[in-house]
Amino acid sequence: MTPPQDAAPEAMPDSLPEALPEVGSEVGSEVGSEVGSEVLPGPLVGVDWLAHRLGAPGLVLFDASVGAHRGAAHRIPGARPFDLDGALSDHTAPAPHTMPGAPEFTEAMRALGVADSNTVVVYDGAGVYSSARAWWMLRAMGFDRAAVLDGGLPAWTAAGLPTSPTGPAYEGPRGSFTARPRAGLLVDSATVARALTDPTATVLDARTRARFAGTAPEPRPGLRGGHMPGAVNLPFGELQDPHGRMRSAGELRAAFRALTGERERLYLSCGSGVTACVLALGADLAGYEEIAVYDGSWSEWGMPSDLPVTTDL
């Protein structure tokens, strides 16, 4: 999956400013995760919040960039790679970006130095794109002490904050993280098929309107065009402002309500399970509690099979 291109970074100062105005995310609920005496304001934090706490004991920062942004020349200082195109996907599965099993995820997090007591912030080079996938994976594995950086690396550089050259893979001490999988946060095609006819649920597709309609080709060869009968289209970019930051809780709630009505159970899909997690982040910020991501997404559903596909809108 190729992320959208972001604006060219501005020139960076050599160090963090001595003081920044205290600005935190105003949406989402507290998740009880501390960095020293600080508590995450919710599943989304702003660049000022992170800049004040960068390098704090117990704070782990991840770069979850994919595609063209993976392995970029610069990163936020201290960021470790949450490699969705590498070790943090199951490459034995037919669909890309498939969630690895609990033992594999545990090992990957320990190798990256993560402990159960840490607080994690995740960003990506496109804005809010693949970072949401990392956040949802952590949640699905029972870890709630995590948040997404609103606007990602583009917001960080636009604020005049420094970057550092991307170094070698993480080589620090191992962590003690243990995955505790939660049922129902990542679901399969059979579960989605049932949800499509469930009057209490909505299946939302985060792909572009042209791909949903089948008028634009799929980026992966061999996939059918169109969408699941009964699904509705909510392109993930519509949950973000022109600067790539997530919209307010009220705006997000209105966007979902326009498509779901009073239904509170949401099943989210996209191309390969990445931007569906942007919808999951938006739904969480909007106050939804029954949220599931279709892990295989269109990379699985769109393959030649008996799973139904339509181009009717």
Side-chain angles (χ1 to χ4, degrees):
M1 179 175 292
T2 302
Q5 296 297 313
D6 54 319
E10 299 177 4
M12 295 293 99
D14 292 331
S15 61
L16 285 168
E18 292 184 1
L20 287 168
E22 184 68 28
V23 179
S25 171
E26 296 180 355
V27 291
S29 58
E30 289 188 351
V31 295
S33 178
E34 298 186 2
V35 179
S37 61
E38 302 292 342
V39 177
L40 280 174
L44 194 70
V45 298
V47 295
D48 296 323
W49 187 98
L50 178 61
H52 278 292
R53 297 158 178 84
L54 196 66
L59 177 66
V60 174
L61 179 63
F62 278 130
D63 180 348
S65 301
V66 297
H69 295 282
R70 180 190 184 211
H74 291 86
R75 63 179 178 180
I76 297 176
R80 307 173 192 178
F82 194 104
D83 193 1
L84 291 165
D85 287 333
L88 282 157
S89 291
D90 179 0
H91 296 281
T92 68
H97 300 132
T98 298
M99 181 77 185
E104 292 77 15
F105 192 83
T106 293
E107 172 56 28
M109 290 297 96
R110 289 182 178 183
L112 287 166
V114 181
D116 289 327
S117 60
N118 286 151
T119 294
V120 172
V121 175
V122 190
Y123 77 91
D124 65 70
V128 178
Y129 186 77
S130 48
S131 51
R133 171 70 180 183
W135 164 78
W136 191 253
M137 290 169 68
L138 287 160
R139 177 171 286 198
M141 285 295 178
F143 186 87
D144 290 328
R145 305 169 67 88
V148 171
L149 179 63
D150 199 12
L153 184 61
W156 181 269
T157 58
L161 295 165
T163 60
S164 63
T166 299
Y170 173 76
E171 297 175 341
R174 287 176 59 83
S176 57
F177 178 94
T178 299
R180 299 172 177 86
R182 290 187 172 119
L185 273 68
L186 291 166
V187 297
D188 59 13
S189 60
T191 302
V192 174
R194 291 191 295 270
L196 289 167
T197 59
D198 183 345
T200 70
T202 305
V203 178
L204 297 113
D205 189 323
R207 293 176 299 153
T208 65
R209 297 198 181 281
R211 287 174 64 190
F212 184 83
T215 58
E218 285 296 312
R220 297 176 185 85
L223 298 183
R224 297 172 289 170
H227 58 273
M228 307 166 197
V232 294
N233 192 203
L234 181 56
F236 77 94
E238 295 185 8
L239 300 186
Q240 301 173 359
D241 68 19
H243 302 289
R245 296 175 176 86
M246 298 298 290
R247 295 190 181 277
S248 71
E251 291 173 313
L252 292 168
R253 187 74 178 182
F256 282 101
R257 282 288 192 196
L259 297 172
T260 66
E262 297 302 315
R263 289 168 288 181
E264 294 288 323
R265 296 175 59 207
L266 307 182
Y267 293 83
L268 311 173
S269 183
C270 61
S272 68
V274 173
T275 58
C277 298
V278 179
L279 297 193
L281 176 62
D284 187 273
L285 293 168
Y288 287 88
E289 296 180 354
E290 297 183 74
I291 306 167
V293 168
Y294 175 22
D295 201 28
S297 283
W298 200 253
S299 293
E300 178 181 58
W301 193 283
M303 290 190 293
S305 73
D306 293 333
L307 293 171
V309 170
T310 184
T311 56
D312 295 336
L313 298 176

